[in-house]
Amino acid sequence: MEQQQWVLSSPTLGMIFVAGSFILFYVIGWYSQKRAKASTDYWTAGRSIGAVTNGLSMASSYMSLATFLGVTALILNLKVPFVYMWIQFTLSIPLITLWYGTPLRRMGAFTPAHFVRERYGLNTSYITVIFMILIMVMYALGQMIGVAKVFEMLFGFNYNISLIFGGALIVGYIAIGGMYGTTYNAAFQMILMGVAFIIPLGAIMKAMGGTGWYFPPLLYSDMVPAMLEAVPDFFDMKYGIKWYAALIPCFTIGAMGLPHLGMRVYTASNLKSARNAMLWFTFFCGITFSATYTMGFSGVFFEATSGQTIVPTDFDKITLILNSVYNPAWVLAFVIAGAIAAGLSTISANLMAIGAMIAQDIIATIKPNLPEKTMKVIGYCAIAGGGAASILIALDPPTFLVVSILWAFGLAGVTVAPAAILGVWWKPANRYGAFVSILVAGLTYIIVSPYVFPNIVISTGLQAKLGMSGSLLCVPLGFFLLTTVSMITERIPSLMARIPVQQDKILVDKIHGWADYSEERYNSTQAGLIIAGISLLLCIWAVLPGGW
Amino acid sequence: MNSAYKKEIRYTLIFSVLLLICGHLGLLFVAFPSLQNKMVFGFPSQYIIPVLMGWLGLMVVVYFQAKLCNDLDDEIEALNDSTGHIR
């Protein structure tokens, strides 16, 4: 077999396409932000975004550089189990909208931490904000590094210069545009990345002899017999039931805790528009994800049938390699611009979440009466600060970076999701329960990961590195602690006298749209006991050996 | 009021289950290995059924989720108006 190291042969076209797309991002950002009248509009786009634009920007914020690079690499490594891991990501926005997105939009929240502050008080919101910022920085960090590597490849600068130069360009257009600019840019970036990914893929399939090239996301069954002959284990499921079950707490509930996704729902012009946006999100996400599986499939097919071996360090370049082999240079340049757009849309959503949390959830809480102009300056500084932190960490990235983004999903599922879900749907959830749940479950998740104390883990291998084994324990632990601590403290009058219980309960009815208050709604002790019981059983199952 | 509240809880639970089914069909195939390796549309069943349900199946569920939840919002709003509350 011939082994070929892949390098970009003609970078000029790539530079032209990337420079052109950056100019467009700045123009869109500049013109969009002019619609912002108040500093709060800066974070929520004036709550004026229509369903299609919002659906596009939701999908775009969610699809990162990994869609173009990392996913295909992991399909080459893990094959079908990784496809399962990716399929469930499309559930995020529908579940967020169903469980807490629309109630928080009704409340007028800026971030999920804003809700935590109103529902559980200041102390709990500070811990939540710290965890959320950590999650968002880890998320943005991976994208920054990816974009810097593409810049390094294109412009020939060294990594550090590419990172600082690329990072500054990115932070600039996000700070200028605010949520208006970020949203319209993200919608444009989704179209760009969709076209740049799917149409060239059709040409690749045609060149490979595939007859379903006119609809790459689904029509490649004619390549299956050759694939089964060349790679007989491609469709094998490989792992045990615990592995597949752990996808739910880690990535499905994890995605529900990601603040930058929740914030997309809050930009909707109204609740109906937010719900219609999730339909568009499902369409755009589904078509692009399905094309990603086709690209991964084509990569494995190419390696198995062409006689060329792709070295493992080039696995994440499979999209670029296939385009360089089968498509003209200008198409490859367009694909690179699409990949960068995928990275930028995610970084912009991450930085907007960091900025909103610093400006609205921390500074505006401590100093509530700051003038409008000062709040705008704080907003710019918060975004620039978040970007600078990501760039600085990316100069010397942590060794577990490859999986850190996926591990961050688990942390979001452990710390944010139980508090948000039960806070919206279960009145007995109180400040003590939420504080203990977020702190204990969050720290436990960090401790049982293989990165802090390698000897204290509940599993090893891929499921531990990705945070799946940690989430299988800590997400139910979060629900268990929140329900049991709340139910116990509820029976201690001296503790309850210290917190505004009635005010917290009234908030629950209000965010569901009820104009009057009824003690009966969302107040079932039985529901709390059922959640606590199921959570405890899941915790026990998580720590039992085997099943992976 | 009580029926709208119960409907809200019911919709949330039912749609959660349906959404989870759409996104996690891999669990079904690992729990029942005999369902694997049946060819569907030219692909092994354990591959194409989760892919299709995770996209097109999900779109159908999400369509009904949006429609029914929007209708429920209208119902709650009408109830609020009928009880004389100004929001």
Side-chain angles (χ1 to χ4, degrees):
Chain A
M1 273 197 173
E2 184 189 338
Q3 186 164 306
Q4 185 177 314
Q5 183 76 35
W6 186 85
V7 286
L8 193 63
S9 57
S10 169
T12 316
L13 276 169
M15 288 182 200
I16 293 169
F17 271 86
V18 171
S21 59
F22 261 96
I23 291 168
L24 267 174
F25 300 152
Y26 268 87
V27 170
I28 292 172
W30 176 254
Y31 277 102
S32 307
Q33 64 83 34
K34 287 186 172 178
R35 295 176 62 190
K37 300 281 182 287
S39 66
T40 48
D41 290 351
Y42 186 78
W43 302 113
T44 56
R47 302 190 197 279
S48 63
I49 305 297
V52 182
T53 309
N54 216 1
L56 278 164
S57 58
M58 284 169 171
S60 179
S61 306
Y62 204 23
M63 273 179 237
S64 61
L65 203 60
T67 309
F68 275 75
L69 306 178
V71 176
T72 49
L74 284 161
I75 291 176
L76 256 70
N77 270 318
L78 288 178
K79 305 191 174 73
V80 161
F82 188 77
V83 173
Y84 288 136
M85 188 189 287
W86 221 252
I87 286 170
Q88 57 77 41
F89 280 133
T90 327
L91 302 179
S92 57
I93 292 286
L95 280 172
I96 287 174
T97 310
L98 185 66
W99 279 93
Y100 72 86
T102 43
L104 266 59
R105 165 66 183 80
R106 198 180 270 122
M107 176 192 139
F110 294 102
T111 68
H114 182 184
F115 167 71
V116 171
R117 186 181 75 215
E118 298 289 318
R119 178 73 174 84
Y120 299 119
L122 266 182
N123 292 337
T124 312
S125 82
Y126 287 146
I127 319 173
T128 313
V129 166
I130 291 167
F131 275 120
M132 281 184 182
I133 290 178
L134 176 68
I135 293 160
M136 287 295 92
V137 168
M138 287 176 75
Y139 214 124
L141 176 68
Q143 309 301 318
M144 282 284 188
I145 292 168
V147 171
K149 284 189 172 171
V150 178
F151 270 52
E152 187 185 11
M153 206 165 66
L154 266 180
F155 297 102
F157 302 150
N158 74 31
Y159 171 77
N160 286 354
I161 293 174
S162 302
L163 178 70
I164 294 166
F165 172 68
L169 266 179
I170 294 164
V171 174
Y173 98 80
I174 298 164
I176 285 174
M179 191 54 112
Y180 271 116
T182 298
T183 304
Y184 287 110
N185 260 318
F188 170 68
Q189 284 158 350
M190 180 64 234
I191 294 167
L192 179 64
M193 72 174 98
V195 173
F197 196 80
I198 297 170
I199 294 177
L201 175 60
I204 291 167
M205 285 172 67
K206 193 175 183 187
M208 284 174 133
T211 55
W213 56 269
Y214 49 89
F215 193 62
L218 292 177
L219 302 182
Y220 49 102
S221 62
D222 55 335
M223 295 158 82
V224 169
M227 173 67 100
L228 282 171
E229 201 174 309
V231 190
D233 69 339
F234 185 81
F235 297 102
D236 287 0
M237 299 192 65
K238 294 182 189 78
Y239 298 104
I241 198 157
K242 227 175 192 175
W243 197 92
Y244 295 97
L247 295 175
I248 298 176
C250 191
F251 300 120
T252 305
I253 298 181
M256 288 177 74
L258 293 175
H260 71 295
L261 294 185
M263 283 171 71
R264 283 266 161 249
V265 181
Y266 316 150
T267 62
S269 52
N270 56 56
L271 297 180
K272 287 184 179 168
S273 169
R275 293 198 183 97
N276 294 338
M278 71 181 176
L279 188 61
W280 288 108
F281 162 83
T282 314
F283 172 73
F284 293 122
C285 233
I287 194 168
T288 315
F289 281 179
S290 298
T292 312
Y293 316 143
T294 315
M295 187 67 87
F297 181 96
S298 304
V300 177
F301 187 88
F302 171 76
E303 199 191 15
T305 58
S306 69
Q308 293 193 40
T309 302
I310 300 165
V311 294
T313 48
D314 277 348
F315 273 9
D316 58 359
K317 292 179 190 158
I318 192 69
T319 304
L320 306 180
I321 293 174
L322 292 178
N323 274 288
S324 74
V325 171
Y326 294 111
N327 284 330
W330 68 268
V331 174
L332 176 61
F334 184 50
V335 173
I336 290 172
I340 290 182
L344 297 194
S345 60
T346 307
I347 299 175
S348 57
N350 297 153
L351 293 187
M352 284 306 294
I354 293 171
M357 283 186 277
I358 293 173
Q360 292 295 330
D361 295 325
I362 298 178
I363 296 173
T365 309
I366 298 167
K367 294 261 180 197
N369 297 319
L370 286 173
E372 192 75 357
K373 209 175 169 182
T374 313
M375 280 311 293
K376 274 192 174 174
V377 175
I378 288 171
Y380 291 133
C381 294
I383 288 176
S390 307
I391 293 168
L392 285 175
I393 303 170
L395 287 170
D396 184 17
T399 49
F400 63 105
L401 178 80
V402 180
V403 291
S404 68
I405 299 171
L406 293 172
W407 185 82
F409 273 76
L411 188 59
V414 171
T415 54
V416 184
I421 291 169
L422 290 179
V424 168
W425 289 94
W426 194 56
K427 279 178 188 163
N430 66 31
R431 298 175 181 218
Y432 302 112
F435 188 87
V436 171
S437 160
I438 294 170
L439 196 62
V440 175
L443 291 177
T444 308
Y445 180 75
I446 292 170
I447 289 168
V448 300
S449 75
Y451 308 113
V452 185
F453 303 107
N455 295 326
I456 310 175
V457 288
I458 52 167
S459 183
T460 54
L462 185 71
Q463 60 268 17
K465 286 182 186 167
L466 294 179
M468 289 164 66
S469 53
S471 307
L472 191 61
L473 168 69
C474 297
V475 170
L477 180 66
F479 280 102
F480 176 76
L481 289 172
L482 213 164
T483 45
T484 47
V485 173
S486 295
M487 285 189 287
I488 292 166
T489 51
E490 196 182 24
R491 283 152 183 80
I492 305 173
S494 59
L495 283 177
M496 297 316 279
R498 292 186 193 170
I499 57 174
V501 183
Q502 201 56 22
Q503 183 191 312
D504 294 343
K505 287 183 173 181
I506 289 169
L507 176 70
V508 175
D509 272 16
K510 213 168 143 188
I511 61 177
H512 282 273
W514 301 103
D516 62 336
Y517 178 75
S518 164
E519 186 69 17
E520 287 168 32
R521 293 189 207 114
Y522 321 105
N523 209 7
S524 162
T525 306
Q526 199 185 357
L529 290 170
I530 291 170
I531 293 167
I534 293 172
S535 302
L536 185 62
L537 289 175
L538 286 171
C539 288
I540 294 167
W541 187 51
V543 293
L544 287 175
W548 296 99
Chain B
M1 178 192 77
N2 212 23
S3 76
Y5 162 64
K6 283 185 177 166
K7 207 185 267 184
E8 188 192 14
I9 302 284
R10 203 163 53 235
Y11 282 177
T12 305
L13 294 177
I14 290 171
F15 281 113
S16 298
V17 171
L18 290 174
L19 291 171
L20 286 174
I21 289 173
C22 287
H24 289 280
L25 272 178
L27 264 174
L28 181 78
F29 286 98
V30 79
F32 301 100
S34 60
L35 296 174
Q36 295 180 27
N37 293 317
K38 313 257 186 288
M39 297 307 273
V40 178
F41 302 125
F43 293 95
S45 50
Q46 74 271 20
Y47 179 76
I48 195 65
I49 293 176
V51 168
L52 286 174
M53 285 300 289
W55 175 22
L56 302 176
L58 187 66
M59 280 186 71
V60 174
V61 173
V62 165
Y63 169 79
F64 284 106
Q65 181 188 333
K67 192 186 176 318
L68 293 177
C69 291
N70 283 340
D71 291 348
L72 181 64
D73 266 3
D74 292 341
E75 198 177 318
I76 291 174
E77 218 161 286
L79 274 168
N80 287 332
D81 293 342
S82 69
T83 50
H85 287 283
I86 298 163
R87 296 200 297 159

